Structures are given as structure tokens and as C-alpha cells.
Amino acid sequence: YGENYSQGSYYLSSVADSVLVNPKGMLEWRGMAVQTLYYKDLLDKVGVSMQVFKVGTYKSAVEPYLLNEISEANKEQITTFSSEIWKELNEDVAKSRKISTDNLNAIADSGVFFEDPTVYKKLKLVDKLAYPDEVPSVIANLMKVDKEDYKTISVSTLAGISENEPKGTSGNIIAVYYAYGEIVDEESSTSLNQEHAIVGKKTVEDLQKLAEDDDVKAVVLRVNSPGGSAYASEQIWHQVMNIKSKKPIIVSMGGYAASGGYYISCAADWIVAEPTTLTGSIGIFGMFPEASELLNKKLGLHAYTVKTNEYADFGDYSRPMRENEKVLLQGYINRGYELFTKRCADGRKMKQDDIKAIAEGRVWTGVHAKQIGLVDQLGSLEDAIAVAKKKAKVDEYTLQTYPGKTSMFENLLNEASGDSYADRKMKEAFGEYYDMFSNMKNVKSKTGIQASLPYYLMFNL
């Protein structure tokens, strides 16, 4: 039951036995849009330019700093993966609601969300119109009981009960490790949007413990990441290899496991992706701001550097990068790309040239990634656990999730610092633009080698 359905919430709800909507509610079904915000004119106005070094025609994470509109390569890949994702959503709803995909596309093009809810029922998007106080009677009728003969429970209460239940008595543990967020070298108290992050040092320590725990018979690495630091990705890849030498490790991909997210996945024994997972984006870049115009012409500041050696002032943002510095940095980026593609080739048992042919920073959906060999299977986390059980050759097992929850004391410290409160307020104020502002704010912290998806993309679903 919903008083108003966003397109995302309707997609989730469409699998239900019955879908109800308020007689004065709204239901969105309008297609998928991907929006990118470009910063070049803004940077020009403040007198800052971004010096970019990359490998990969489709490595579009740097585009907003260089262009005012989308490149043809980026437009091509976004058109492809957004169409594939929409096709998957359309087919899922068509199957659940018994509506043809052609009709669902026609409905999306009709502006149905501004129609009277009676139209939703006529189009078979919903089964019944009901006010909130009428819903209990509908449920009772479906259950074939009197209205007073059933009880309800909230999701949070149900989750609490589940957490308190015994995890099982088997000595064979299948560990599910959640790697969620941007990949960073270390935690930062000043960066926004690190409520969820894959912190390289901590993740390495956690995976090493799982590798050394004899009770852990297999590991499922649940990856939901746009990537990030190339250095941290390499360290995590090393620990995946460490686990692989001792026990099976299976990757389960969530909404996205791209760039660095794919880097940390590629060495696994088996990779399971959702059909709509965004993955691949095999490419890297380095980005360094140059603010001489801002400092000299707009602020009236002038810097003069005395140095002992040629590269002592490398990375100085008060001047443009010299040609010899550009050559050094591009060489470093190129070596990083060679290493990235080799890791992928070794992990996927493919030739490096074949990986390069599908790399170039291009983003693929799970469906396409399976066709070109970047993943082994389409499925869910449960499917990945089933693979882990089979490869570990265990009949009985206990499922345990990692990393553990933070303690009450740690949560209190986070609240006391004010960061968590400020973050929440920023999200409330900026809404869907929060990640974009966070990205701009954190540019300085990204002045290194990055293996990252263009996560500034806004998915309108």
C-alpha cells in the first residue's frame, strides 16, 4: 500500500500479490534519466583549471572539470547502460503485473503520474484504491480471516528479532563481508559523504583476519562501490588473493562495482552480478587543480618558490604543471593502467589485450558484463552464498556478516564530534545534489591516482 509511489518504490512494490494506492495518491512510471553536472564554467569564473591525466576513452569521471557538455563517448555508454537497466526494470514489472513491456513504455510516455488514480487501476498498475483505514480489511480478506485475527510487526522490530536469533551451531562459517562506498586510503574527519566508505587499511586488516581464521571456510565479498583510490584498491586486491590461496572467495556485486570496485573483485574465484549492476569502468586518472589565475588576477596573490631540486615543488597549485612533470605523471598513469588491466586479465583468465578491448574506462551493466566475460553469473547475494557453499564443500554452515557493527561508545563519539549531525543536515538541504557538492568539496583529497566511476551521475528512478 502506498499513498504516493515514486518510480523506485513502485518497482519494489510491483512484485507484491496486491498493490494498493490511495484514491488521491500518485504513482510514477516515467522512464530513466541520467543527469551530469558540469563545473568547467564555474571553475573558469573563479580562475581554477583542472590538470587531468587519464587512460580510457570512456573514463568520464573527469569530464565535469574539463567540459561544459557531455562527450560523445560518455553519451554512448550512458545511453547503452541506462537503456539496459530500464529494459530490465520494464521486464520485471511486466512479469509481476502481467502487462506487456510495450504497454509499460507507452504508459511511461503518457505522463501517467498526473492522471487520476482510477487510471492506474484501469492500466493494471494497481489492484485497488484504498484509504489507510481500509487497508486492514483488504489484508484480512486476502488472509481469509477476520480483521481482528491478525497482528502486525514493524520492519525494525522484525530486524531486532532476527539479530537476536542464534546464528547457527555449525563450526563451518561462510563470511559475508560488506565492502560498501567509495574506496579511500584512510578515514578522513574533514571529508563529506564518508558515512559509508571502504577504508583501505581497515578492509585489509579485516580480510587478513578472515584469511587466517580456520573456521571461515569461504568468503563472500559483497561489493557496492564506484571505486576510488587506486593504491587502496591494489592493497585490497592483494588480500583477496591471500584469501583465494587458502579458501574460496566469491564476489557478489550490488548496485555498482566499477573501476576500483571491479579492481577489488576481479581476482575472486567466482563473480555474481545483478543484471542492473554497473561494473567495469577499467581505467584510472589523476587530477591536479591549477589556481594561478585565481591567486594572481582575482585575489592579487603572488607566489615565489625557492627550491633545491627540480621536482621539489611538484603539485604546486599556484602554477601550471611543467611539461616534464606532465610526462612523468602520464607515465605513472599508464603504468597504473597496465597493472589494472593485468590484474583483470589474470583474475578473469583472459588475455590482457582482450581486457583492454573492453576496458577504456567503459561502464557495463551486469547483463553485458557477463556476455563479455567480466562476471560469471547473474544473480543475488543468496546465489553467491550458494556458490560459496558449493566451492567450500560444506553441507552445514553458519552465516556471519562482517565488518561488525560499531559499538554504542563509537556511535556516541561520532555524534559528539558533530560530523554525523552535520552530514545529515547537509543531505536534508541538498537532497539529490548532495553527492555532487560532496564531490566538489573533496576534490583536493582526490589529487592522486583514482580508479573511480563517474559517481556524480544522478539516476532519476
Side-chain angles (χ1 to χ4, degrees), residues 188-386:
S188 170
S189 59
T190 59
S191 292
L192 295 175
N193 205 21
Q194 283 198 15
E195 179 182 355
H196 298 288
I198 303 171
V199 181
K201 288 187 176 181
K202 183 180 185 307
T203 304
V204 164
E205 291 172 359
D206 290 344
L207 294 180
Q208 191 169 359
K209 289 176 182 176
L210 294 178
E212 294 169 355
D213 189 339
D214 291 336
D215 290 333
V216 175
K217 305 303 181 185
V219 176
V220 176
L221 183 62
R222 174 68 171 182
V223 179
N224 200 23
S225 173
S229 165
Y231 178 81
S233 299
E234 167 71 10
Q235 308 314 305
I236 295 169
W237 169 88
H238 177 72
Q239 285 307 316
V240 170
M241 290 294 291
N242 184 29
I243 292 173
K244 188 176 181 179
S245 68
K246 297 177 171 65
K247 62 196 71 174
I249 179 165
I250 314 302
V251 162
S252 168
M253 293 180 169
Y256 47 0
S259 205
Y262 190 76
Y263 199 129
I264 67 175
S265 304
C266 65
D269 293 296
W270 195 258
I271 299 177
V272 181
E274 303 280 356
T276 56
T277 296
L278 293 182
T279 189
S281 191
I282 301 168
I284 65 173
F285 66 90
M287 192 162 59
F288 292 81
E290 189 269 297
S292 59
E293 184 177 347
L294 170 64
L295 295 173
N296 300 340
K297 296 182 180 180
K298 298 185 182 294
L299 299 179
L301 297 174
H302 301 275
Y304 186 85
T305 302
V306 178
K307 60 182 182 178
T308 60
N309 295 88
E310 176 66 20
Y311 297 103
D313 61 339
F314 179 86
D316 179 3
Y317 60 85
S318 69
R319 63 169 176 81
M321 199 171 281
R322 296 185 293 268
E323 286 304 314
N324 60 340
E325 293 173 321
K326 292 179 181 178
V327 171
L328 281 177
L329 186 53
Q330 189 61 56
Y332 183 61
I333 296 290
N334 292 344
R335 289 194 301 276
Y337 184 67
E338 286 297 313
L339 180 61
F340 192 172
T341 53
K342 184 178 188 308
R343 297 298 188 222
C344 295
D346 291 346
R348 299 306 301 162
K349 296 180 175 59
M350 295 171 64
K351 294 179 180 178
Q352 193 169 357
D353 285 344
D354 291 338
I355 286 290
K356 287 181 178 179
I358 56 177
E360 290 286 333
R362 180 152 187 174
V363 180
W364 307 97
T365 62
V367 170
H368 214 141
K370 184 176 183 299
Q371 294 172 1
I372 59 179
L374 291 180
V375 307
D376 298 293
Q377 176 182 341
L378 298 180
S380 63
L381 174 60
E382 287 74 19
D383 294 319
I385 293 170

Side-chain angles (χ1 to χ4, degrees), residues 6 24 35 42 45 61 90 101 129 150 154-155 168 178 207 220 269 273 320 323 343 368 373 386-387 391 418:
S6 68
K24 293 301 176 184
Q35 185 185 84
L42 171 63
K45 286 179 180 179
N90 234 18
T101 55
L129 310 184
Y150 73 87
S154 69
V155 172
Y178 288 88
L207 294 180
V220 176
D269 293 296
E323 286 304 314
R343 297 298 188 222
H368 214 141
V387 173
K391 287 188 176 291

